[in-house]
Amino acid sequence: MTADVLPALTAKVRTAAHPAAEACVCGTGTSVLADRPDGTVVRHAGTVAKAHASDTDPAELAVRMAVAAHPRLTGVLLPPLSPTAVDLHGRPVTFWPYGTPVDRDDPDAAPWEEAATLLAHLHRTPESTLPSGLPPMRGPAKAARAVARLHAAGPHPAAAPVLRAWAVLPTWARDEAPMRHRRTLCHGDLHLGQLVRAPDGEWLLIDIDDLGLGDPAWDLARPAAWFASGLLPPDEWTRFLTAYQKAAGPAVPADTDPWPALDVPARALTVQTAALAIAKSVAAGRPLDEVEMSVIDACDRMAAHPPELVEAIPK
């Protein structure tokens, strides 16, 4: 399907970038920013087109688009160029302004403070101001999908500790029960790849596919998991957490231990990362690398020390 979508998506983005011109005269080529079954993204000049996954719920995407375009989220979420999606080979396509991504080759310049501050502003959005019908954020669903991929990959010697760590998580973290305890606007898949710098120099959050209501601690879970696994240096984690607390983010307390709130989501993100690592290594026919093994080792430690009161509902 991707092979069919990519040429058509390229034509779509060129038309969107030059709606009044008979032909492109800017001399800018079209580049592929991502090409996966769950999201094919191309850019032409200052316009980006994204073909979402074929199983995307149109109504849910429409509400998420409305949130991204909402004036209350100006300066937090990148707004779409068009308020509605168009169909392309059975996949909804949305259009966005191009923003400069985080430079992966310059880790010292990683915008940890900016990411945390944007998250805090997102989380503080009153639900009453949002469009009705906003679905749950898809963080737990993505974790469950990763574990399903691990099962589908077949037996693997590294899978056992990952599945043990998954089994002791509460049902809401495994997407087996609703997150009744929180109804906060969440991004659902936060990492530095979800930030872009707008032409005015401001950082904005992108990618609304997992946006929804849920536990805001989930949006802090990936950097928390990296820190706990030894993959994120303590100073970078401290910069991120401190900036979030200074911006009055509601996911963690401002002056007490944040880990009671972060423990379960960070565990779930660790399992998700490990499960995907194994599934991808099997598909590629390669051994697990050192970073991947460190995440699996973290799952082994987690399974030996389950979270307390795993079925309790956080406040």
Side-chain angles (χ1 to χ4, degrees), residues 66-95:
V67 172
H70 198 287
R72 182 66 174 75
L73 278 305
T74 298
V76 178
L77 292 172
L78 183 73
L81 292 173
S82 173
T84 58
V86 299
D87 181 78
L88 182 66
H89 294 212
R91 294 173 64 174
V93 174
T94 56
F95 299 95

Side-chain angles (χ1 to χ4, degrees), residues 53-72:
S54 58
D55 62 351
T56 298
D57 184 295
E60 292 185 355
L61 178 60
V63 177
R64 290 180 166 119
M65 292 279 287
V67 172
H70 198 287
R72 182 66 174 75

Side-chain angles (χ1 to χ4, degrees), residues 272-309:
Q272 174 181 321
T273 303
L276 289 176
I278 295 172
K280 291 178 180 179
S281 73
V282 170
R286 61 166 178 80
L288 293 161
D289 62 30
E290 183 178 355
V291 171
E292 293 167 333
M293 284 304 305
S294 68
V295 180
I296 293 166
D297 290 342
C299 288
D300 198 22
R301 295 192 298 272
M302 292 188 318
H305 301 281
E308 296 182 6
L309 302 175

